[in-house]
Amino acid sequence: MRRFILPFFALVFALTAVSCSKTSASANMTGQSAAQPVMPVASGAVESVAASASASAKTVTLSPEEEKLARVLSSMSDRAKEAIPNGDPKEFLADLQKVLEEEKKFRTDDLSLYFLIDKKHSVGSDYEPKDLIPVKGNDLWNVSRNDLSLRPEAYHGLEELSAAALKDGIKLMVSSTYRSYSYQEKLFARYVAQDGVELAERYSARPGTSQHQLGCAVDFGSITDDWGDTKMGKWVYEHAADYGWSLSFPQGYEDVTGYMWECWHFRYIGREACAFQKKWFGNIQQFMLEFLDAWSAF
């Protein structure tokens, strides 16, 4: 995708600033209050864009959806903003609509597959996904233990991913899936006793904050850093998104996700969300889920 000097959110802000500036000027002349709220605009670069906008661009009136987009993006972290490429806000919103339409197909008696869970967003000790399906060893995949399970959407996504892998001569190994609150509580306590709380928090989730409790995350293979260099690991990296699976904790983003790199940990979010994540959020799951969470809140 072509990139410009500024990320695309800056252009949205610039147009918003121009629109609000014109509205304010009109209001000052008529004595009426501005019809549109003044948006927070970054100094320097964004002001430069606004100043250099063509006369036709200055007459653009942002739609309510574009104004909402500007507000949501302005609420995100600087690193998230930096990951977003320049582009057409209308194209972004069209892609977002596909993701939201897909969400309407999700079951309504359970958490969304887009539910944001991390060190700041949690679920209760009593939360358990609906209709968990046991994940047993079969013709499609191997398992490392016999107490695995996934929520139905993730289970069927795993079936599709594993069938595709088999066609390429690779049988996936499923090593960890759903974990209850109590299981995660014991696991985290064990890691704290082993490595201390500061280090444990870098690679293990406190109870209630683990993607595994959602029943849509899978740890593949050996659960070690070298798994990513194996034939299986390379195949999953290349093809996971085609079947709705997204890497949760990429290398170099511990300050974003809160966790060290986990090459083996993938979360099922569906094909549309994976495509949206790759196109607009630098292929970083955390940025995309934070955006969707903020969008729903505005």
Side-chain angles (χ1 to χ4, degrees), residues 99-117:
V99 174
L100 298 179
E101 286 298 319
E102 190 67 20
E103 187 175 28
K104 292 179 181 178
K105 301 175 185 177
F106 299 165
R107 60 189 302 164
T108 58
D109 61 346
D110 206 344
L111 295 178
S112 169
L113 289 174
Y114 307 151
F115 183 80
L116 179 61
I117 188 169

Side-chain angles (χ1 to χ4, degrees), residues 6 10 19 50 53 114 144 147 149 175 179 245 285 296:
L6 292 173
S19 176
Y114 307 151
S144 64
D147 60 347
S149 59
S175 300
R179 298 177 193 162
W245 293 89
Q285 180 192 118
S296 67

Side-chain angles (χ1 to χ4, degrees), residues 6 14 27 36 45 67 75 112 122 139 145 152 158 164 192 194 196 198 204 266-267 270:
L6 292 173
Q36 297 178 338
E67 290 188 8
S75 73
S112 169
S122 62
D139 292 340
R145 48 194 296 175
L158 180 61
V192 169
Q194 174 182 301
E198 184 174 351
S204 180
F266 288 77
R267 174 176 173 175

Side-chain angles (χ1 to χ4, degrees), residues 22-32:
K22 292 182 66 179
T23 303
S24 296
S26 175
N28 287 337
M29 289 191 303
T30 62
Q32 298 176 349

Side-chain angles (χ1 to χ4, degrees), residues 9-23 36-41 60 62 66-67 70-71:
F9 77 88
L11 300 183
V12 176
F13 288 164
L15 288 175
T16 305
V18 171
S19 176
C20 291
S21 177
K22 292 182 66 179
T23 303
Q36 297 178 338
V38 177
M39 298 296 295
V41 180
V60 171
L62 295 182
E66 289 169 331
E67 290 188 8
R71 292 187 179 93

Side-chain angles (χ1 to χ4, degrees), residues 151-165:
R151 60 184 287 177
E153 303 93 328
Y155 185 90
H156 298 313
L158 180 61
E159 287 181 317
E160 292 184 344
L161 180 70
S162 299

Side-chain angles (χ1 to χ4, degrees), residues 119 201-206 209 249 254 257-261:
K119 292 182 182 295
E201 285 194 321
R202 295 182 61 197
Y203 66 82
S204 180
R206 288 180 177 272
T209 67
F249 310 123
E254 185 177 349
T257 66
Y259 298 102
M260 300 162 64
W261 174 50

